[in-house]
Amino acid sequence: MTEPDAGDAAGDIIAARIADPVPVHPLLDGRPELGRGESSIVLDAGDGERVYKVVSSPADYYYLAADDRPTGIHFPRLYRDHGVVGKASNGYSFRLLEIERLEPISGPAEAVAHILSEAYWQGCEKWANLGVNRGRLALYHIAQEPPPGLPGSIVQAIAALSDFIEEYPVQPDILNPHNLMMRADGTLVFSDPVFLP
């Protein structure tokens, strides 16, 4: 069973969180932990602009560090890939990435995220008979026939994410509210929209 973060409101989705300790590494020693996901640990880099993200899922690593990853205003900025820093209990290597610091969504970004998540959910329901591929098809159709109120830059980002997912053995996940975040300027960012099936 997982414990909610102090900031989780009643009714929020509470996902499993990685239980592994922070790997021993000079860049991580003594850094405050900001949060955990199912396969990642985020630590404060100390400058207010960057974080250290320790990832144990190949899906996260591909999405954040592959040469052909989606890039642009709605995708996280990678500053540096520090390589392998240990092994996780799931059997995968821990990799240390230095990425931009993002914030929980609020305001206009939250409204856009709601439109997007609703369209994605409807697509998943529509294509439920396709099993694990329903998310891929839902994402593709959002890019082809976007719902009203979705900004053009988000539609372009969805198309780029859809193309990326077709090239890698990953599935989309934009239903979890923690997988969409924003920059301090309010720009919606797809912080963690993929997983290994």
Side-chain angles (χ1 to χ4, degrees):
M1 180 166 191
T2 58
E3 295 296 320
D5 284 339
D8 283 343
D12 274 1
I13 295 171
I14 299 176
R17 289 182 174 81
I18 190 169
D20 295 57
V22 174
V24 175
H25 189 278
L27 289 174
L28 303 177
D29 294 345
R31 299 276 180 196
E33 190 174 308
L34 298 174
R36 287 176 176 252
E38 189 173 342
S39 59
S40 63
I41 306 168
V42 179
L43 297 107
D44 190 352
D47 65 1
E49 296 179 13
R50 299 170 191 230
V51 295
Y52 292 116
K53 187 166 185 173
V54 180
V55 299
S56 66
S57 167
D60 292 347
Y61 183 70
Y62 300 149
Y63 176 71
L64 293 168
D67 290 339
D68 59 348
R69 71 189 180 279
T71 58
I73 64 168
H74 296 293
F75 297 102
R77 294 180 185 123
L78 173 69
Y79 294 111
R80 187 156 179 210
D81 180 350
H82 293 280
V84 175
V85 294
K87 189 166 186 173
S89 60
N90 64 9
Y92 291 113
S93 294
F94 267 135
R95 294 179 177 273
L96 175 57
L97 304 173
E98 193 171 336
I99 62 172
E100 71 176 309
R101 186 180 187 126
L102 298 169
E103 303 173 359
I105 56 173
S106 62
E110 187 172 19
V112 170
H114 179 73
I115 293 168
L116 180 58
S117 293
E118 184 64 27
Y120 182 73
W121 175 252
Q122 289 174 2
C124 286
E125 286 185 320
K126 181 178 180 179
W127 303 105
N129 63 327
L130 294 178
V132 296
N133 288 316
R134 67 185 178 270
R136 287 175 181 256
L137 198 53
L139 203 64
Y140 173 79
H141 279 281
I142 291 172
Q144 299 305 307
E145 298 174 23
L150 208 57
S153 63
I154 294 287
V155 175
Q156 291 173 350
I158 288 290
L161 180 59
S162 181
D163 289 347
F164 172 78
I165 287 168
E166 290 304 314
E167 296 298 319
Y168 283 85
V170 300
Q171 293 288 336
D173 181 11
I174 56 175
L175 290 178
N176 184 329
H178 303 292
N179 293 351
L180 300 172
M181 298 188 80
M182 69 179 200
R183 293 191 181 95
D185 68 3
T187 303
L188 182 69
V189 177
F190 293 89
S191 59
D192 190 18
V194 297
F195 71 98
L196 287 178

